[in-house]
Every structure is written in C-alpha cells, then in structure tokens.
Amino acid sequence: NIAHKIANDLRKAGLKVELGLAVLKPQKVFPLLEKKQIDFIIFIGEEELSNQQVQVKNVKTRDAKNFAINDIQSIVNFI
C-alpha cells in the first residue's frame, strides 16, 4: 500500500506520522486536524495515484504542493 510506504519512509526521516485511510470531506478533515494540532496532511487520491504524485497541504495556511510519490526528501523539506 502506497500510504503505508510513504508513512514508513517519513517516520524513518524522523517525522511523527498518523495514518488515516478514511475518505472524508475537507470540511470534516480540517477541523479534526486542527483539534489534534496536526500541521500537514498528505492526500493520495485517484488523480494523485494516476500521476504518481501526492499532495502535501499545510493545515493552517491551506497551501499545497504536489510531489512525486517516491520523493520523500522533498516532502520532508516542505514539511
């Protein structure tokens, strides 16, 4: 599973990672993330998978950037 691989790679890079595989609407996700004080979320949807990318989004600013699925170092640098 791609999500598990990315989560494990980010943990190896020293980041604290919480994995959630549920499909939720953004209006439900962001309040939950803010309550848990989670700063970033990584989206891996059908469009991202077809492009071999993930979208990393800052929870507070909502700024987002796409990265290649295997470009863990760039994801870490963005976070």
Side-chain angles (χ1 to χ4, degrees):
N1 181 317
I2 299 255
H4 285 100
K5 181 186 179 323
I6 292 170
N8 286 335
D9 289 345
L10 292 172
R11 287 181 183 118
K12 287 177 188 174
L15 297 177
K16 182 178 172 186
V17 177
E18 184 173 320
L19 187 61
L21 301 175
V23 177
L24 299 172
K25 296 186 185 241
Q27 60 265 32
K28 293 193 182 233
V29 170
F30 286 101
L32 176 64
L33 297 174
E34 289 167 349
K35 182 178 179 182
K36 291 179 140 191
Q37 297 182 331
I38 295 173
D39 296 326
F40 290 88
I41 183 170
I42 297 178
F43 291 103
I44 308 170
E46 290 179 28
E47 184 177 333
E48 288 83 11
L49 284 175
S50 69
N51 294 322
Q52 291 293 297
Q53 293 186 331
V54 296
Q55 182 185 79
V56 182
K57 189 170 243 185
N58 183 308
V59 173
K60 291 179 182 146
T61 66
R62 304 294 198 267
D63 289 335
K65 188 170 181 182
N66 290 342
F67 296 93
I69 283 178
N70 60 355
D71 193 359
I72 298 301
Q73 189 57 55
S74 291
I75 295 170
V76 169
N77 293 343
F78 181 74
I79 293 173

